[in-house]
Amino acid sequence: MRYNCGMKKPLSLQPASTRMEQRAAACRKLPAEQQALHYYFNGNSKADFCTSVAAGHPHALALALDILAAEHWLQPRDSTRYARGIRAALRTAGAAQLLAPAQQKIHFAIEWRHLVRLSLRAYHTKPGPRQQRAHRRLPGQRQLMLRLFNSAEQPPLSPADWPPVTPPAALLQKALRNGLLTPTLAEQLTTCSDELLMVLYHYPESLLPPGYSTSTPALPGDALCYHLSEWAHDCIDWRIAPLSELSNRLGITIATDGRFCRIKDEWGNTWAKAARAPEEQKARLRER
């Protein structure tokens, strides 16, 4: 069976949220130590519930699909732990073809949403343990989509889907030390103002330190970069993406390691500069 990966979220996911909200209301009347078991596992232990899901028992499958489709957690701090076990059991049932066609469509929507979330986290959030974890898990999620749903398509993410991030103050200071920015520009870039963006769009050379040229230094296309631009009307902020996805966007691009900066203006000009490698910097200091 093949699904259209560009499908909208099925309407059947909304009733799941309603049912889980009703379940949560009922669970709050129980003693605190019993709430989670009734909410997630219908009063069973986690192991017994997941075994029932993996075996394709109808009531367990319905509840598992509701839990993952609704993403409505009674105990947020435990949500990942609960979801992981239920998701694994549901995937086992899906691989064994124990889901009805309607259930399989919901399962596809759940896994597709998980793929989109991992893609955004891996390529459009700031570097760190969470981003690296998503990057490691993404290939496995793609393989699972292929195995369960015969779908090898990638999420059609647009720049509008990328989450905005706070101005990278520490990175701007690093780029300043690497000679990629002037002190004034490094300070201005923390404000995300439309006045600054207009200057960057129209005559960025007036803001740049020496050493910029119109020849772009070689850099891997998958290098993560911060990018300041106007993403929609009156929406000026920083976002993160691989360099290859920023090639045609106006604005300023700075690699997340602070070793590369590029500005693309409204006239199609590209102004770029790469920081010297540490060995080259040490050699120059020795020459002095």
Side-chain angles (χ1 to χ4, degrees), residues 214-227:
T214 55
S215 60
T216 305
L219 195 72
D222 61 353
L224 280 186
C225 298
Y226 279 84
H227 186 81

Side-chain angles (χ1 to χ4, degrees), residues 27-49:
C27 285
R28 291 190 187 103
K29 300 175 183 178
L30 299 172
E33 63 274 9
Q34 299 178 21
Q35 290 179 3
L37 285 180
H38 278 270
Y39 183 74
Y40 293 110
F41 309 132
N42 210 26
N44 299 315
S45 69
K46 178 181 179 180
D48 288 343
F49 177 74

Side-chain angles (χ1 to χ4, degrees), residues 102-244:
Q103 292 176 325
Q104 199 165 6
K105 288 182 179 179
I106 297 174
H107 189 203
F108 173 83
I110 291 169
E111 296 295 351
W112 178 253
R113 185 168 59 188
H114 190 53
L115 177 65
V116 170
R117 185 183 294 112
L118 283 177
S119 298
L120 286 171
R121 198 175 297 160
Y123 295 115
H124 302 288
T125 58
K126 64 181 182 179
R130 196 162 176 260
Q131 179 266 335
Q132 294 166 3
R133 206 160 39 240
H135 198 274
R136 289 194 300 269
R137 291 176 180 172
L138 194 53
Q141 181 66 16
R142 289 170 177 158
Q143 292 173 8
L144 181 132
M145 298 294 291
L146 184 62
R147 186 172 70 252
L148 291 184
F149 310 109
N150 193 30
S151 170
E153 297 183 44
Q154 302 302 315
L157 301 175
S158 70
D161 299 316
W162 304 346
V165 295
T166 55
L171 175 63
L172 294 174
Q173 289 303 308
K174 185 174 183 178
L176 172 61
R177 292 192 298 270
N178 285 335
L180 304 180
L181 303 174
T182 64
T184 300
L185 181 56
E187 183 179 354
Q188 289 175 328
L189 286 171
T190 63
T191 64
C192 304
S193 69
D194 54 353
E195 293 87 356
L196 173 62
L197 199 63
M198 289 303 101
V199 177
L200 291 173
Y201 279 0
H202 295 299
Y203 47 99
E205 66 274 20
S206 65
L207 301 174
L208 300 176
Y212 272 77
S213 70
T214 55
S215 60
T216 305
L219 195 72
D222 61 353
L224 280 186
C225 298
Y226 279 84
H227 186 81
L228 177 65
S229 186
E230 183 176 26
W231 304 93
H233 182 64
D234 290 335
C235 179
I236 299 168
D237 51 42
W238 289 93
R239 304 198 181 184
I240 294 177
L243 182 63
S244 59

Side-chain angles (χ1 to χ4, degrees), residues 9-28 39 62-63 65-73 113:
K9 186 170 72 172
L11 295 178
S12 54
L13 295 190
Q14 184 55 44
S17 182
T18 301
R19 288 191 292 271
M20 293 310 294
E21 288 172 1
Q22 293 171 346
R23 177 178 284 269
C27 285
R28 291 190 187 103
Y39 183 74
L63 178 53
L65 288 166
D66 275 355
I67 290 170
L68 294 175
E71 294 185 343
H72 181 80
W73 305 107
R113 185 168 59 188

